Amino acid sequence: MSRALGLLLGFAADRLLGDPRRYHPVAGFGRAAARMEKQLYADSRRRGTGYTAVLVGGTAILGLAVERATRKHPILHTAATAAATWTVLGARSLEREAETMAGLLEEKDIPGARDRLSHLCARDATDLEADELARATVESIAENTSDACVAPLLWGGALGVPGLLGYRAANTLDAMVGYKSPKYLNFGWASARLDDVLNLLPARACAALTGLAAGRVQDTVRVWRRDAPKHPSPNAGPVEAAFAGALGLTLGGTNSYGSYAEDRGTLGDGPAPTVADVRRTAELARRVGIAAVCLAAVLGKGRRWI
């Protein structure tokens, strides 16, 4: 019961407060990972695997120590789980970024929106116009709803504090080095593959919850099953396709990431996103998050694996 309550309290803290403005533990982890990368980097899968194992394994072990130290003390365990949940969630911050992008696009501040897109994704926004910026924002909200909200909650429900912290460590490394660029193709391979494995079930849960939250289960599942395989990512594909079906939009296309381009396929049947769809997507993501924390709480009340 303490795990479920901690997840609910941590989710509420994220909704009310968002990410800490200063001394964010995830940012601190990122700085430590960047320093270690400088010391260990080589164009080598073996080096990258060691880098990933040390950082993710060490973080998960820390979470396991906290879990075991507090599990016989319900109040402390609830507090520890709530603190870890608040630390790893990024749902409210994602919503704020969506609101900021929507405001910039509505004001036709294209240069400002191009600059701001880097807060959501690594896409090259140099030549993107309003509707393409809207598409990039919608797709980023969809993918990050799974990565920054649904997946950590479900890992927290299943494994408690080590699930929360270990997942966020792996996902952070994927965001830092899990690219197909020449620099990271080998070094970031282990981080990218680990993130893929950890998101296999949460991404599909997110896709299912998206249909339920939108009240368009049939359309969501149809587009998900038909179009997700077109996407190069095994996990972003189902989530983005589900959002496309739930919102009645067509997502996907070729995206530039500076040093390389990637064809994301065509997902959905409706019109391409416009500026007005950014706020619709953010609202859908908020509802998906609420559904996810309810599911995580149910998992947290069930059998304890750790």
Side-chain angles (χ1 to χ4, degrees), residues 90-99 120 140-142 144-145 148 282 285:
R92 181 63 181 124
S93 293
L94 176 63
E95 186 176 316
R96 287 173 177 167
E97 288 299 327
E99 292 166 353
L120 284 169
S140 296
I141 293 170
N144 284 301
T145 295

Side-chain angles (χ1 to χ4, degrees), residues 171-245:
N171 187 249
T172 301
L173 291 187
D174 179 61
M176 294 176 66
V177 303
Y179 297 106
K180 295 180 180 178
S181 62
K183 179 178 180 180
Y184 290 123
L185 186 62
N186 288 315
F187 185 78
W189 176 84
S191 293
R193 296 293 77 74
L194 177 60
D195 186 72
D196 284 344
V197 170
L198 293 179
N199 278 294
L200 279 173
L201 291 179
R204 284 145 185 84
C206 181
L209 293 174
T210 298
L212 291 171
R216 297 186 59 173
V217 175
Q218 186 173 354
D219 288 337
T220 300
V221 172
R222 177 178 56 81
V223 175
W224 167 15
R225 293 180 63 183
R226 186 192 68 197
D227 294 342
K230 301 176 185 177
H231 198 290
S233 169
N235 298 318
V239 174
E240 290 185 25
F243 266 75

Side-chain angles (χ1 to χ4, degrees), residues 92-114:
R92 181 63 181 124
S93 293
L94 176 63
E95 186 176 316
R96 287 173 177 167
E97 288 299 327
E99 292 166 353
T100 299
M101 282 293 293
L104 291 168
L105 291 171
E106 289 162 359
E107 293 168 5
K108 303 187 187 308
D109 183 359
I110 302 304
R114 287 171 177 163

Side-chain angles (χ1 to χ4, degrees), residues 13-53:
D14 178 67
R15 291 300 314 167
L16 290 171
L17 304 173
D19 289 336
R21 297 289 184 179
R22 300 174 63 187
Y23 309 117
H24 196 306
V26 175
F29 173 85
R31 288 191 292 270
R35 288 193 295 270
M36 182 173 287
E37 180 190 341
K38 289 181 179 179
Q39 297 174 344
L40 294 181
Y41 177 81
D43 187 16
S44 162
R45 286 189 178 185
R46 182 175 61 83
R47 284 285 190 94
T49 299
Y51 168 81
T52 302

